[in-house]
């Protein structure tokens, strides 16, 4: 088991950031490349056990909401199927793609008092074959900052503070 970790400061109040991400089904609103998302079985987007099915860059992915806390401003999700390694990651032709990985991600917000900003910590635990650890870690190490940047761009567009 290994993990990819990223943290960043968002120039927006924690409650504003949380209101955007707390609904597990709100992914298309703040992650570029997510075209749609559906919560299965009529569950709420903040209900532990809810399963979201979303389309990311043309691929359908299913995840379960494992933990959700409005008090701690955290949510944890787990992939329901092992994630296949992308075919177009820029690796050398002919190199064998890593085996699919199982994963669990957590987004945690913390207040930064100075400037009424937010620290976001995003960690994804990866259960990979030992030979594949470096490639999976590098891939998620590039994805998580991209997703966080997408969140920051969305906040800049929708935030009253940005107007």
């Amino acid at each position: 088991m290994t993990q990819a970790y990223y943290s960043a400061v968002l120039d927006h109040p924690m409650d504003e950031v949380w209101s955007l991400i707390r609904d597990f089904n709100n992914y298309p609103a703040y992650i570029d490349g997510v075209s749609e998302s559906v919560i299965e079985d009529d569950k709420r987007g903040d209900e532990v056990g809810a399963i979201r099915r979303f389309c990311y860059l043309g691929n359908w992915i299913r995840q379960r909401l494992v933990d959700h806390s409005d008090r701690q401003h955290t949510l944890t999700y787990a992939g329901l199927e092992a994630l296949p390694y992308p075919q177009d990651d820029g690796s050398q032709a002919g190199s064998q793609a890593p085996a699919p990985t199982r994963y669990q991600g957590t987004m945690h917000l913390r207040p930064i008092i100075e400037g009424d900003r937010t620290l976001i910590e995003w960690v994804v635990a990866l259960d990979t074959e030992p030979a594949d650890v470096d490639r999976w870690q590098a891939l998620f190490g590039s994805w998580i900052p991209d997703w966080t940047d997408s969140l920051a761009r969305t906040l800049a567009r929708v935030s009253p503070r940005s107007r």
Side-chain angles (χ1 to χ4, degrees):
M1 183 85 69
T2 189
Q3 69 178 22
Y5 173 86
Y6 184 73
S7 63
V9 173
L10 301 171
D11 291 326
H12 300 275
M14 187 174 65
D15 288 342
E16 189 176 303
V17 179
W18 183 243
S19 72
L20 183 60
I21 70 170
R22 75 173 297 281
D23 183 342
F24 192 50
N25 199 36
N26 211 22
Y27 233 29
Y30 66 89
I31 299 293
D32 293 338
V34 176
S35 57
E36 58 185 292
S37 179
V38 175
I39 297 284
E40 299 177 0
D41 300 325
D42 295 321
K43 295 198 182 248
R44 295 183 326 271
D46 62 353
E47 187 175 345
V48 171
I51 296 172
R52 72 176 166 199
R53 182 172 37 91
F54 64 95
C55 187
Y56 179 61
L57 301 176
N59 300 300
W60 285 95
I61 299 168
R62 291 177 71 229
Q63 298 173 335
R64 177 184 318 278
L65 185 60
V66 176
D67 188 41
H68 187 282
S69 173
D70 285 323
R71 193 170 73 52
Q72 295 182 356
H73 299 94
T74 187
L75 65 85
T76 299
Y77 56 90
L80 293 179
E81 296 97 18
L83 186 67
Y85 198 81
Q87 298 298 318
D88 60 349
D89 76 327
S91 293
Q92 297 174 351
S95 67
Q96 187 171 347
T101 188
R102 297 219 168 263
Y103 64 95
Q104 180 169 297
T106 299
M107 300 167 72
H108 185 191
L109 304 181
R110 297 177 190 266
I112 297 175
I113 304 306
E114 180 186 345
D116 197 13
R117 298 176 296 162
T118 302
L119 173 68
I120 182 170
E121 296 176 295
W122 198 330
V123 62
V124 178
L126 302 161
D127 186 6
T128 69
E129 295 293 325
D132 299 334
V133 165
D134 291 343
R135 288 181 65 193
W136 274 111
Q137 202 170 30
L139 185 62
F140 272 89
S142 69
W143 280 348
I144 299 169
D146 288 347
W147 299 333
T148 304
D149 289 347
S150 177
L151 172 60
R153 286 190 302 274
T154 301
L155 287 162
R157 281 193 310 271
V158 302
S159 172
R161 179 185 279 193
S162 300
R163 293 184 188 132

